[in-house]
Amino acid sequence: MVNLVAAQKPLLHGLMKLAGIKPHSIQIEPGTIMSFWVPSETIIQKTKKNKKNTTTTPFSNNQCAISPESTTKPDPNKPVVVLIHGFAGEGIVTWQFQIGALTKKYSVYVPDLLFFGDSITDKSDRSPGFQAECLGKGLRKLGVEKCIVVAFSYGGMVAFKMAEMFPDLVEALVVSGSILAMTDSISTTTLNGLGFSSSSELLMPTSVKGLKALLKVAAYKKLWFPDRLHKDFLEVMFTNRKERGELLEGLVVSNKEATIPNFPQVIGIS
């Protein structure tokens, strides 16, 4: 039976290209590849002889291709906006309804964090800090010098880290549904309040009931989908379960370790 979520991906990709962004994967460092959707005008095609550049991954027998194109700097007349997704879906799935409007006035970059989409690493670090480091390095490689970061949920914690680590790169933050850091006390209180025993139970559902509970928490408005669509979403969007479980473990820090940096950026929180 056809997976409806997988079947609509080519359509979504086509709509993103019409909106003015294209997929592009870059090697952050050996063993770590991050996928982005970047402004189409920044991509320069290289000759065909360079299009065999691939790298093997430890997570499958497939090869993950590094984009053979190179990139130029974003349009200097457009501010750069970086959209960082949460834990429930990859970049363009999370931001598909905002991208078309934003590309009219901004150079829009939509990354997939490590273990989402085609982004992978063979490193053992699963912290938001490592995600932020890779994202910052990736944007630098893409020619981005300054950007406004818009982030949701898990992506918000990555965004705060990136703002702390790259103050010259991130000039403003807009964060929704997130916090500065997930301390052990906040984690316990939040999960108990929502009726879940662990972050994995909430954020990596294995059943239609669990996915509905997650979407109820994550979505501003109640959304109705048939159970068939929920099942298909579970199959397509919740891959790399082992590694994502490790991301959740690496998310929680002790109350004693949590600090509040002195951010120089303008920050909007909702």
Side-chain angles (χ1 to χ4, degrees):
M1 186 178 294
V2 175
N3 184 300
L4 298 177
V5 175
Q8 64 84 40
K9 269 197 168 185
L11 173 61
L12 178 58
H13 289 187
L15 291 173
M16 294 301 100
K17 290 176 182 178
L18 287 174
I21 60 174
K22 290 183 177 181
H24 185 80
S25 296
I26 57 173
Q27 181 171 273
I28 307 300
E29 56 187 58
T32 301
I33 297 172
M34 186 164 270
S35 60
F36 290 80
W37 283 76
V38 305
S40 302
E41 65 270 15
T42 66
I43 296 179
I44 302 173
Q45 295 290 337
K46 287 186 178 180
T47 58
K48 291 183 178 180
K49 66 180 181 180
N50 291 326
K51 293 189 176 182
K52 295 181 179 180
N53 189 12
T54 59
T55 182
T56 56
T57 81
F59 308 109
S60 70
N61 294 323
N62 298 323
Q63 289 188 317
C64 181
I66 303 173
S67 298
E69 306 92 349
S70 62
T71 58
T72 61
K73 291 183 179 180
D75 184 343
N77 297 314
K78 285 185 175 182
V80 173
V81 169
V82 179
L83 304 176
I84 309 180
H85 63 83
F87 215 85
E90 58 197 51
I92 60 169
V93 173
T94 300
W95 299 105
Q96 59 185 291
F97 299 113
Q98 289 77 34
I99 291 169
L102 289 172
T103 52
K104 296 175 182 177
K105 294 183 178 181
Y106 299 92
S107 291
V108 177
Y109 289 74
V110 189
D112 287 326
L113 296 175
L114 297 172
F115 302 113
F116 294 85
D118 292 327
S119 296
I120 58 164
T121 185
D122 59 4
K123 305 299 184 292
S124 60
D125 194 339
R126 300 290 185 260
S127 67
F130 183 64
Q131 294 270 23
E133 179 185 354
C134 292
L135 182 50
K137 288 180 177 178
L139 289 168
R140 289 292 196 207
K141 285 177 178 260
L142 291 169
V144 176
E145 297 178 352
K146 296 282 185 182
C147 65
I148 301 164
V149 176
V150 181
F152 171 69
S153 187
Y154 172 71
M157 286 176 268
V158 174
F160 279 124
K161 279 294 183 182
M162 190 168 77
E164 180 184 356
M165 298 168 71
F166 300 92
D168 57 332
L169 172 64
V170 180
E171 56 184 358
L173 280 177
V174 179
V175 177
S176 177
S178 187
I179 54 178
L180 184 62
M182 181 63 74
T183 63
D184 43 19
S185 61
I186 292 176
S187 176
T188 301
T189 302
T190 302
L191 289 170
N192 288 343
L194 293 171
F196 293 91
S197 60
S198 68
S199 296
S200 293
E201 183 185 358
L202 170 62
L203 295 171
M204 292 198 299
T206 58
S207 66
V208 169
K209 181 180 178 181
L211 178 57
K212 287 181 177 180
L214 172 59
L215 294 177
K216 183 178 180 180
V217 172
Y220 173 70
K221 292 183 178 180
K222 184 177 180 181
L223 303 173
W224 182 89
F225 299 107
D227 285 354
R228 161 74 188 281
L229 204 57
H230 283 95
K231 291 178 182 177
D232 290 350
F233 190 89
L234 280 171
E235 289 180 9
V236 173
M237 291 298 164
F238 291 91
T239 56
N240 296 324
R241 283 184 172 270
K242 175 181 177 294
E243 290 78 19
R244 291 195 195 182
E246 293 167 352
L247 290 178
L248 292 176
E249 292 175 4
L251 190 62
V252 181
V253 298
S254 122
N255 291 329
K256 295 180 180 179
E257 295 176 358
T259 59
I260 301 177
N262 184 19
F263 292 107
Q265 298 92 347
V266 175
I267 300 176
I269 299 175
S270 65

